[in-house]
CSV table of all heavy atoms in Angstrom, one decimal:
chain,number,residue,atom,x,y,z
A,1,ILE,N,0.8,-1.2,0.0
A,1,ILE,CA,0.0,0.0,0.0
A,1,ILE,C,0.9,1.3,0.0
A,1,ILE,O,1.7,1.4,0.9
A,1,ILE,CB,-0.9,0.0,1.2
A,1,ILE,CG1,-1.8,-1.2,1.2
A,1,ILE,CG2,-1.8,1.3,1.2
A,1,ILE,CD1,-2.7,-1.4,2.5
A,2,LYS,N,0.7,2.1,-1.0
A,2,LYS,CA,1.4,3.4,-1.1
A,2,LYS,C,0.4,4.5,-1.2
A,2,LYS,O,-0.7,4.3,-1.9
A,2,LYS,CB,2.4,3.4,-2.3
A,2,LYS,CG,3.4,2.3,-2.2
A,2,LYS,CD,4.4,2.6,-1.1
A,2,LYS,CE,5.5,1.5,-1.1
A,2,LYS,NZ,6.5,1.7,0.0
A,3,VAL,N,0.7,5.7,-0.7
A,3,VAL,CA,-0.2,6.8,-0.8
A,3,VAL,C,0.6,8.0,-1.4
A,3,VAL,O,1.7,8.4,-0.9
A,3,VAL,CB,-0.8,7.3,0.5
A,3,VAL,CG1,-1.7,8.5,0.4
A,3,VAL,CG2,-1.6,6.2,1.2
A,4,LEU,N,0.1,8.5,-2.6
A,4,LEU,CA,0.8,9.6,-3.3
A,4,LEU,C,0.0,10.9,-3.0
A,4,LEU,O,-1.2,10.9,-3.1
A,4,LEU,CB,0.9,9.3,-4.7
A,4,LEU,CG,1.8,8.1,-5.1
A,4,LEU,CD1,1.8,8.0,-6.7
A,4,LEU,CD2,3.2,8.3,-4.6
A,5,LYS,N,0.7,12.0,-2.7
A,5,LYS,CA,0.1,13.3,-2.6
A,5,LYS,C,-0.4,13.8,-3.9
A,5,LYS,O,-0.1,13.3,-4.9
A,5,LYS,CB,1.1,14.2,-1.9
A,5,LYS,CG,1.6,13.8,-0.5
A,5,LYS,CD,2.5,14.8,0.1
A,5,LYS,CE,2.9,14.4,1.5
A,5,LYS,NZ,3.7,13.2,1.5
A,6,GLU,N,-1.2,15.0,-3.8
A,6,GLU,CA,-1.7,15.5,-5.0
A,6,GLU,C,-0.7,16.0,-6.0
A,6,GLU,O,-0.9,15.9,-7.2
A,6,GLU,CB,-2.6,16.7,-4.6
A,6,GLU,CG,-3.3,17.4,-5.8
A,6,GLU,CD,-4.4,16.5,-6.4
A,6,GLU,OE1,-5.0,15.7,-5.6
A,6,GLU,OE2,-4.7,16.6,-7.5
A,7,TYR,N,0.5,16.4,-5.6
A,7,TYR,CA,1.5,16.9,-6.5
A,7,TYR,C,2.5,15.8,-6.8
A,7,TYR,O,3.6,16.1,-7.4
A,7,TYR,CB,2.3,18.1,-5.9
A,7,TYR,CG,2.8,17.8,-4.4
A,7,TYR,CD1,4.0,17.2,-4.3
A,7,TYR,CD2,2.1,18.2,-3.4
A,7,TYR,CE1,4.6,16.9,-3.0
A,7,TYR,CE2,2.6,17.9,-2.1
A,7,TYR,CZ,3.8,17.3,-1.9
A,7,TYR,OH,4.4,17.1,-0.7
A,8,GLU,N,2.3,14.5,-6.5
A,8,GLU,CA,3.2,13.4,-6.8
A,8,GLU,C,2.6,12.5,-7.7
A,8,GLU,O,1.4,12.3,-7.8
A,8,GLU,CB,3.5,12.7,-5.4
A,8,GLU,CG,4.4,13.5,-4.5
A,8,GLU,CD,4.6,12.7,-3.2
A,8,GLU,OE1,3.8,11.8,-2.9
A,8,GLU,OE2,5.7,13.0,-2.6
A,9,ARG,N,3.5,11.8,-8.5
A,9,ARG,CA,3.1,10.8,-9.4
A,9,ARG,C,4.1,9.6,-9.2
A,9,ARG,O,5.3,9.9,-8.9
A,9,ARG,CB,3.1,11.2,-10.9
A,9,ARG,CG,2.1,12.3,-11.2
A,9,ARG,CD,0.7,11.8,-11.0
A,9,ARG,NE,-0.3,12.8,-11.5
A,9,ARG,CZ,-0.7,13.8,-10.6
A,9,ARG,NH1,-0.3,13.8,-9.4
A,9,ARG,NH2,-1.6,14.7,-11.1
A,10,GLY,N,3.6,8.4,-9.5
A,10,GLY,CA,4.5,7.3,-9.3
A,10,GLY,C,4.7,6.6,-10.7
A,10,GLY,O,3.8,6.2,-11.4
A,11,VAL,N,6.0,6.3,-11.0
A,11,VAL,CA,6.4,5.6,-12.2
A,11,VAL,C,6.5,4.1,-11.7
A,11,VAL,O,7.4,3.8,-11.0
A,11,VAL,CB,7.6,6.1,-12.8
A,11,VAL,CG1,8.0,5.3,-14.1
A,11,VAL,CG2,7.5,7.6,-13.2
A,12,ILE,N,5.6,3.2,-12.3
A,12,ILE,CA,5.6,1.8,-11.8
A,12,ILE,C,6.4,1.0,-12.8
A,12,ILE,O,6.1,0.9,-14.0
A,12,ILE,CB,4.1,1.4,-11.8
A,12,ILE,CG1,3.3,2.3,-11.0
A,12,ILE,CG2,4.1,-0.1,-11.2
A,12,ILE,CD1,3.7,2.5,-9.6
A,13,PHE,N,7.4,0.2,-12.2
A,13,PHE,CA,8.2,-0.7,-12.9
A,13,PHE,C,7.6,-2.1,-12.6
A,13,PHE,O,7.7,-2.5,-11.4
A,13,PHE,CB,9.6,-0.6,-12.6
A,13,PHE,CG,10.3,0.6,-13.1
A,13,PHE,CD1,10.2,1.8,-12.4
A,13,PHE,CD2,11.1,0.5,-14.3
A,13,PHE,CE1,10.9,2.9,-12.8
A,13,PHE,CE2,11.8,1.7,-14.8
A,13,PHE,CZ,11.6,2.9,-14.1
A,14,THR,N,7.2,-2.8,-13.6
A,14,THR,CA,6.7,-4.2,-13.5
A,14,THR,C,7.7,-5.1,-14.2
A,14,THR,O,7.8,-5.1,-15.4
A,14,THR,CB,5.3,-4.3,-14.1
A,14,THR,OG1,4.4,-3.4,-13.5
A,14,THR,CG2,4.8,-5.8,-13.8
A,15,LEU,N,8.4,-5.9,-13.4
A,15,LEU,CA,9.5,-6.8,-13.9
A,15,LEU,C,10.5,-5.9,-14.7
A,15,LEU,O,11.0,-6.4,-15.7
A,15,LEU,CB,8.9,-7.9,-14.7
A,15,LEU,CG,8.0,-8.9,-14.0
A,15,LEU,CD1,7.5,-9.9,-14.8
A,15,LEU,CD2,8.8,-9.6,-12.8
A,16,GLY,N,10.8,-4.8,-14.2
A,16,GLY,CA,11.8,-3.9,-14.9
A,16,GLY,C,11.3,-3.0,-16.0
A,16,GLY,O,12.0,-2.3,-16.6
A,17,LYS,N,10.0,-3.2,-16.4
A,17,LYS,CA,9.4,-2.5,-17.6
A,17,LYS,C,8.3,-1.5,-17.0
A,17,LYS,O,7.7,-1.7,-16.0
A,17,LYS,CB,8.8,-3.5,-18.5
A,17,LYS,CG,9.8,-4.4,-19.2
A,17,LYS,CD,9.1,-5.3,-20.2
A,17,LYS,CE,10.1,-6.2,-20.9
A,17,LYS,NZ,9.5,-7.1,-21.9
A,18,VAL,N,8.2,-0.4,-17.8
A,18,VAL,CA,7.1,0.6,-17.6
A,18,VAL,C,6.1,0.5,-18.7
A,18,VAL,O,6.4,0.7,-19.8
A,18,VAL,CB,7.7,2.0,-17.5
A,18,VAL,CG1,6.6,3.0,-17.2
A,18,VAL,CG2,8.7,2.1,-16.4
A,19,SER,N,4.9,0.2,-18.2
A,19,SER,CA,3.8,0.0,-19.2
A,19,SER,C,3.3,1.5,-19.7
A,19,SER,O,3.2,2.4,-18.8
A,19,SER,CB,2.6,-0.7,-18.6
A,19,SER,OG,1.5,-0.7,-19.4
A,20,LEU,N,3.1,1.5,-20.9
A,20,LEU,CA,2.5,2.8,-21.5
A,20,LEU,C,1.1,3.2,-20.9
A,20,LEU,O,0.8,4.3,-20.6
A,20,LEU,CB,2.5,2.8,-23.0
A,20,LEU,CG,3.9,2.7,-23.7
A,20,LEU,CD1,3.6,2.6,-25.2
A,20,LEU,CD2,4.7,4.0,-23.4
A,21,ALA,N,0.3,2.2,-20.7
A,21,ALA,CA,-1.0,2.4,-20.2
A,21,ALA,C,-1.1,2.5,-18.7
A,21,ALA,O,-1.8,3.4,-18.2
A,21,ALA,CB,-2.0,1.3,-20.7
A,22,ARG,N,-0.4,1.7,-18.0
A,22,ARG,CA,-0.5,1.7,-16.5
A,22,ARG,C,0.8,2.1,-15.9
A,22,ARG,O,1.0,1.7,-14.7
A,22,ARG,CB,-1.0,0.3,-16.1
A,22,ARG,CG,-2.3,0.0,-16.6
A,22,ARG,CD,-2.8,-1.4,-16.1
A,22,ARG,NE,-4.1,-1.8,-16.7
A,22,ARG,CZ,-4.7,-2.9,-16.4
A,22,ARG,NH1,-4.1,-3.8,-15.6
A,22,ARG,NH2,-5.9,-3.2,-16.9
A,23,GLY,N,1.7,2.7,-16.6
A,23,GLY,CA,3.0,2.9,-16.0
A,23,GLY,C,3.1,4.1,-15.0
A,23,GLY,O,4.0,4.2,-14.2
A,24,ILE,N,2.1,5.0,-15.1
A,24,ILE,CA,2.0,6.2,-14.2
A,24,ILE,C,0.8,6.1,-13.3
A,24,ILE,O,-0.3,5.9,-13.8
A,24,ILE,CB,2.0,7.5,-15.1
A,24,ILE,CG1,3.0,7.5,-16.1
A,24,ILE,CG2,2.0,8.7,-14.2
A,24,ILE,CD1,4.5,7.5,-15.5
A,25,LYS,N,1.0,6.2,-12.0
A,25,LYS,CA,0.0,6.1,-11.0
A,25,LYS,C,-0.1,7.4,-10.2
A,25,LYS,O,1.0,8.1,-10.0
A,25,LYS,CB,0.1,4.9,-10.1
A,25,LYS,CG,0.1,3.6,-10.8
A,25,LYS,CD,-1.2,3.3,-11.4
A,25,LYS,CE,-1.3,1.9,-12.0
A,25,LYS,NZ,-2.6,1.4,-12.5
A,26,GLY,N,-1.3,7.6,-9.6
A,26,GLY,CA,-1.4,8.7,-8.6
A,26,GLY,C,-2.3,9.9,-9.1
A,26,GLY,O,-2.5,9.9,-10.3
A,27,PRO,N,-2.7,10.7,-8.2
A,27,PRO,CA,-2.4,10.7,-6.8
A,27,PRO,C,-3.4,9.8,-6.1
A,27,PRO,O,-4.4,9.3,-6.7
A,27,PRO,CB,-2.6,12.2,-6.3
A,27,PRO,CG,-3.6,12.7,-7.3
A,27,PRO,CD,-3.3,12.0,-8.6
A,28,GLY,N,-3.2,9.5,-4.7
A,28,GLY,CA,-4.2,8.7,-4.0
A,28,GLY,C,-3.5,7.4,-3.5
A,28,GLY,O,-2.3,7.2,-3.5
A,29,LEU,N,-4.3,6.4,-3.4
A,29,LEU,CA,-3.9,5.1,-2.9
A,29,LEU,C,-3.4,4.2,-4.0
A,29,LEU,O,-4.1,4.1,-5.1
A,29,LEU,CB,-5.1,4.4,-2.2
A,29,LEU,CG,-4.8,3.0,-1.5
A,29,LEU,CD1,-3.8,3.2,-0.4
A,29,LEU,CD2,-6.0,2.3,-1.0
A,30,ILE,N,-2.2,3.7,-3.8
A,30,ILE,CA,-1.6,2.8,-4.9
A,30,ILE,C,-1.3,1.4,-4.3
A,30,ILE,O,-0.8,1.3,-3.1
A,30,ILE,CB,-0.3,3.4,-5.4
A,30,ILE,CG1,-0.5,4.9,-5.8
A,30,ILE,CG2,0.3,2.6,-6.5
A,30,ILE,CD1,-1.5,5.0,-7.0
A,31,LEU,N,-1.6,0.3,-5.0
A,31,LEU,CA,-1.4,-1.0,-4.6
A,31,LEU,C,-0.3,-1.6,-5.5
A,31,LEU,O,-0.4,-1.5,-6.7
A,31,LEU,CB,-2.6,-1.9,-4.7
A,31,LEU,CG,-3.8,-1.4,-3.8
A,31,LEU,CD1,-5.0,-2.4,-4.0
A,31,LEU,CD2,-3.4,-1.4,-2.4
A,32,LEU,N,0.8,-2.1,-4.9
A,32,LEU,CA,1.9,-2.7,-5.6
A,32,LEU,C,2.0,-4.2,-5.2
A,32,LEU,O,1.7,-4.6,-4.0
A,32,LEU,CB,3.2,-2.0,-5.2
A,32,LEU,CG,3.3,-0.5,-5.6
A,32,LEU,CD1,4.6,0.1,-5.1
A,32,LEU,CD2,3.1,-0.2,-7.1
């Protein structure tokens, strides 16, 4: 569980790769 503030974004690496569709998350609650 991760929480990102309004001015933050999360770049998600899945097995070392960043998906074009789901690679950027936030703000709010993020599940990894």
Side-chain angles (χ1 to χ4, degrees):
I1 300 174
K2 301 291 183 180
V3 178
L4 296 179
K5 297 182 178 64
E6 183 67 29
Y7 54 83
E8 292 179 333
R9 297 293 183 272
V11 180
I12 309 300
F13 288 84
T14 303
L15 296 177
K17 297 182 179 181
V18 177
S19 173
L20 293 176
R22 300 180 180 181
I24 307 299
K25 299 291 185 179
L29 184 66
I30 306 298
L31 298 179
L32 299 177

